[in-house]
Amino acid sequence: MPDLEMPNNPWPDIKKRAGDAGWLKFDPQAAIELGQAISNFQWKLFALRGNATTLTQMVDLATPEITSGPALAKEFGKQGQEMYRILCAHHKILDDMLDSVVAAGKNMANTEEGNVQDLLRQLDGITTPLQETQYNDGKAPGALTQREGDHGKYRKGYNYDADGMPTTRKGAPSGYQSDFHVKDNRKQPDLKAKETLKTGIGETRARSWAALHANRNYLEGGVTADLVADDAAEWKYIGEKISEWSVDFGNAVAKHLNPAAGDDKVWQGEGAQAIKTALDNYRVSLEPLAATAKQHHSLLEYVSQFLVDTHYWAPPYAREEDDPTYYLTDRQQMFGETYVRGVEFTARSIPKLVYPTEAFAGVPPIYDPRDKNKDGKIGDNEKTPGDTNNDGKLSEEERQALARTQGPGPGPGPGPGPANLKSGPGPGPGLTAEQKKAQANAANEQRKAAEFAEQQRRDAARRAREQEAYEQQQRAQNDRRQAEAEQRAKNAAAQQEAYQKQQQAQAAAREAASAAQQAAQQGLQAAQQAAQQALQGGQKGASEALAAAQQAAQNALANGIPKAGDLAAKLGGPGPGPGSMAKGVGLTEAAKLFPRAGAASMATAAGTGLGALGRAGAAPQAMPGSPGPAGAAGQGAGQGQQNYKRPAYLESDQHLDEMLGEAPKVVRPVVEQ
């Protein structure tokens, strides 16, 4: 990466002339304080070069088919490269500044008495430990998931075949225009940039479904948005640190630019005004650079935001017909609301960085314009004719005097001859003018050689420090990149694993739901079958019990009614009705005493028994036969026995469900006591 060109940079010339004690002197104690502040600021900015290195290349903002993404990323990469070059330029400026202040401090220290060597040692010992580079991570925000608008009168649906079955997804109707908008869309930052770049980058929303789907896959996982957020964090850190560190540096410069009233010994010499102006201009040029770095942070933070939204609203389906909600026109509309809107704003809003050359204006000339070889002296061949005070300018009086000495113009001169020769001075003990000039030149060359050797030593030491710092930065940067690559690989693997687990869990859930549904259906069928079988068994048992009860009643009528005591003994107690009145006395004996009552008792007993058996079978039924007139009870019973016929309703199971209640139940005949 080539160094930044810095035309009209005064600091190399100030550094060169600062070794001339006649040109500049600076209080040595003030030089130590200011020199330390310069050194601290220099090496702090040097550490920021490591942060700028990470900004020299930026991840593409979209797939190659969407050309604005790579183009815009390239522009931001150029800005990172420029910031790196600017920081390198500041490092050189501060290096020359430090050498100038130290040299000026030595010039004044050499004229003082006392602890001269101690001051010189302190001036030579100004150094600053190498600052560590701090890398910063950003975080992409969440997506804006709310939208406005709908399909209006158009509804997205299917085409149907002759049987009414859906076939393919309908395309957008003719003349359809999407009305979708991102609700409360991203607020674009107010950068207040003094000047912006003209990138000429634009974007169209008329991208195909395949291009939009591929771009969604490219932005999947938020990696691109996170990397852009990382770059935004680096720009923020650079801007904040330049602001923070330039305050301490600027305060130190201001303190020594404006010494206490009456103290005119801090700065001395012809070059004092030049170095003071250069220091002041440089001090106030730092904050604009910090401001542009912070503006880059705000802009890239916005880029990270609209990339997240672009991914969210891009089609997740490979084909338009698979999308149940949006047409291609709708997806293009949302692409325009997110990506196109963001790219167009960003492309016209990239701030121009502030170069250090803006601090060079207004600095007085370091060398006299006549000093072509920049040695600090005006030779005879460099002097202006007629300039008697050697200030490089001709006053009106000097112009008139020059005109008089030149005469009216050239004319014929005397011919050659010894008459025109002038005798020179004789030999003497003093040096000639040429010898004095040669001696002065030799002393000047010797001084320059010593200064050059000293500067070479300082340059070598500086280069060694820079090389060490550079190697340390490279190691740290490589470690960071490796760690980031490993972390991204881990994140990708974790996302893939989580996705697979999610798919497996969903598949297992679907299988479990299917198995549960199948088991439930089988259980329901089994329960229904069991209920039906139980109901059939209950009905059969009830019918058999009823038939048995009726048969028993018929047998009882056919064989004669047993004695009340015998019946009671068989049924577990005395029988009901008048037959139990004698408590063990048979009906025959009772009939002898009460003929009519006996017949009635037998009929009642028989009726009671049959009634009980009838109730046990199903429902109450009438006595078989009807009682005859008084004294003819036996005849009535006998006739009923001979004419008895089983009722037809006993052969029906119409009311069995009502009788049985909840199936299944075991039914047996019960004889009431």
Side-chain angles (χ1 to χ4, degrees):
M1 191 181 304
D3 293 339
L4 188 69
E5 295 183 1
M6 292 187 290
N8 302 320
N9 180 13
W11 286 105
D13 290 343
I14 294 176
K15 170 186 172 180
K16 187 176 181 180
R17 293 210 68 181
D20 185 356
W23 188 76
L24 180 64
K25 294 185 183 70
F26 187 33
D27 181 81
Q29 202 62 46
I32 294 172
E33 295 179 8
L34 181 57
Q36 189 62 58
I38 294 171
S39 178
N40 292 344
F41 188 55
Q42 175 190 7
W43 289 100
K44 287 178 178 178
L45 290 186
F46 185 89
L48 283 182
R49 299 196 312 182
N51 299 88
T53 302
T54 65
L55 302 174
T56 56
Q57 288 185 335
M58 185 176 180
V59 63
D60 289 347
L61 305 183
T63 58
E65 185 174 351
I66 302 176
T67 55
S68 60
L72 199 56
K74 187 175 181 180
E75 289 295 331
F76 278 108
K78 289 180 180 178
Q79 290 296 92
Q81 295 173 11
E82 285 302 287
M83 175 56 78
Y84 181 86
R85 297 173 68 202
I86 288 172
L87 291 174
C88 290
H90 278 281
H91 183 78
K92 291 183 177 180
I93 290 173
L94 290 166
D95 198 58
D96 291 340
M97 188 185 299
L98 177 60
D99 288 344
S100 302
V101 169
V102 169
K106 288 182 177 181
N107 290 339
M108 185 173 288
N110 288 326
T111 63
E112 295 181 352
E113 298 179 356
N115 57 346
V116 176
Q117 296 301 320
D118 183 55
L119 291 174
L120 296 177
R121 185 171 57 255
Q122 291 184 57
L123 288 168
D124 286 332
I126 294 176
T127 183
T128 300
L130 181 64
Q131 305 292 314
E132 294 184 0
T133 300
Q134 175 179 335
Y135 295 101
N136 303 272
D137 293 328
K139 184 178 182 182
L144 295 179
T145 59
Q146 299 296 320
R147 64 162 174 79
E148 298 174 343
D150 53 35
H151 290 290
K153 63 180 180 178
Y154 303 105
R155 298 297 176 199
K156 189 158 191 184
Y158 289 95
N159 290 318
Y160 296 89
D161 57 18
D163 297 329
M165 299 301 294
T167 56
T168 58
R169 181 70 65 180
K170 289 181 180 179
S174 176
Y176 172 74
Q177 293 183 351
S178 179
D179 189 36
F180 289 113
H181 304 280
V182 178
K183 187 176 182 181
D184 299 328
N185 207 345
R186 297 287 181 186
K187 183 178 180 181
Q188 295 171 334
D190 183 12
L191 300 177
K192 297 183 174 62
K194 183 178 179 182
E195 193 174 0
T196 58
L197 299 178
K198 294 179 174 61
T199 63
I201 298 174
E203 185 51 67
T204 175
R205 65 181 58 189
R207 296 293 182 181
S208 66
W209 187 279
L212 297 178
H213 177 67
N215 193 52
R216 186 186 193 279
N217 292 338
Y218 175 75
L219 300 175
E220 187 68 40
V223 176
T224 302
D226 284 338
L227 291 176
V228 174
D230 287 346
D231 287 351
E234 295 291 359
W235 280 106
K236 180 181 180 182
Y237 180 79
I238 290 175
E240 289 179 345
K241 288 305 175 182
I242 292 177
S243 293
E244 175 186 340
W245 296 336
S246 63
V247 169
D248 295 335
F249 169 77
N251 290 340
V253 172
K255 173 183 177 182
H256 297 294
L257 286 180
N258 304 293
D263 189 357
D264 56 353
K265 295 182 180 181
V266 175
W267 297 97
Q268 295 179 12
E270 179 186 348
Q273 187 58 44
I275 191 173
K276 289 170 65 176
T277 303
L279 281 169
D280 194 41
N281 288 0
Y282 181 81
R283 174 180 64 89
V284 298
S285 71
L286 297 171
E287 184 54 37
L289 175 62
T292 55
K294 296 174 185 177
Q295 290 163 0
H296 277 75
H297 157 253
S298 299
L299 189 59
L300 284 176
E301 194 174 50
Y302 169 69
V303 172
S304 176
Q305 293 172 353
F306 78 68
L307 286 181
V308 172
D309 298 337
T310 301
H311 168 264
Y312 181 83
W313 292 107
Y317 304 96
R319 301 182 306 168
E320 179 184 5
E321 52 266 28
D322 296 333
D323 193 329
T325 308
Y326 299 103
Y327 298 118
L328 172 60
T329 307
D330 300 323
R331 293 294 185 182
Q332 291 173 338
Q333 173 72 9
M334 304 309 291
F335 181 69
E337 287 284 318
T338 54
Y339 183 82
V340 177
R341 174 177 178 264
V343 165
E344 291 179 347
F345 173 81
T346 304
R348 66 174 182 268
S349 303
I350 300 178
K352 274 190 175 181
L353 296 171
V354 177
Y355 292 90
T357 51
E358 298 189 11
F360 301 157
V363 178
I366 309 305
Y367 287 100
D368 193 299
R370 298 169 295 170
D371 188 3
K372 304 301 181 183
N373 58 359
K374 292 187 176 182
D375 60 357
K377 299 181 181 296
I378 307 298
D380 292 338
N381 60 340
E382 296 174 333
K383 292 182 179 179
T384 303
D387 184 10
T388 56
N389 59 358
N390 201 23
D391 62 355
K393 301 177 183 179
L394 291 179
S395 64
E396 186 61 30
E397 292 79 5
E398 290 174 332
R399 292 180 184 277
Q400 294 176 2
L402 178 62
R404 289 194 298 269
T405 57
Q406 291 177 343
N420 292 327
L421 298 177
K422 295 183 180 180
S423 61
L431 298 176
T432 64
E434 290 77 5
Q435 290 174 332
K436 290 181 179 179
K437 184 176 182 180
Q439 188 179 30
N441 289 340
N444 190 32
E445 291 297 328
Q446 185 178 5
R447 179 182 60 80
K448 288 183 178 180
E451 292 177 353
F452 180 76
E454 175 66 17
Q455 186 58 44
Q456 288 293 100
R457 183 189 67 79
R458 293 180 63 86
D459 289 344
R462 184 195 70 224
R463 285 192 294 271
R465 293 196 303 270
E466 290 180 355
Q467 183 64 27
E468 179 185 358
Y470 176 77
E471 292 176 355
Q472 184 174 350
Q473 281 187 347
Q474 289 298 110
R475 289 193 298 270
Q477 183 176 349
N478 292 336
D479 293 343
R480 177 177 181 260
R481 287 177 177 173
Q482 183 177 359
E484 288 179 347
E486 293 176 355
Q487 186 60 41
R488 291 193 183 102
K490 291 180 181 178
N491 292 342
Q495 289 179 353
Q496 183 66 20
E497 182 180 359
Y499 177 76
Q500 293 177 352
K501 289 183 178 178
Q502 182 181 7
Q503 294 297 318
Q504 294 173 357
Q506 292 176 351
R510 288 193 296 268
E511 292 178 359
S514 177
Q517 183 177 6
Q518 184 177 1
Q521 292 176 351
Q522 294 176 351
L524 179 60
Q525 293 174 356
Q528 292 175 346
Q529 184 177 1
Q532 292 174 356
Q533 293 176 353
L535 180 60
Q536 293 173 358
Q539 291 174 348
K540 182 178 180 181
S543 300
E544 293 176 351
L546 180 59
Q550 291 173 347
Q551 185 64 37
Q554 292 175 2
N555 293 338
L557 291 174
N559 299 327
I561 300 175
K563 293 180 181 181
D566 295 339
L567 181 61
K570 291 180 180 180
L571 296 178
S580 62
M581 178 176 58
K583 293 185 180 180
V585 178
L587 291 178
T588 303
E589 296 176 1
K592 291 179 180 180
L593 297 175
F594 305 97
R596 293 184 182 275
S601 298
M602 288 189 293
T604 301
T608 302
L610 291 176
L613 292 175
R615 285 192 298 273
Q621 44 186 310
M623 282 289 294
S626 1
Q635 180 183 4
Q639 293 175 352
Q641 179 180 356
Q642 294 175 359
N643 298 330
Y644 173 78
K645 183 178 181 180
R646 181 180 177 86
Y649 63 82
L650 292 178
E651 302 297 332
S652 173
D653 57 357
Q654 180 177 0
H655 300 285
L656 283 176
D657 291 339
E658 297 177 4
M659 178 194 71
L660 294 175
E662 296 182 359
K665 289 184 178 179
V666 178
V667 180
R668 64 185 179 85
V670 177
V671 179
E672 292 183 356
Q673 296 180 0

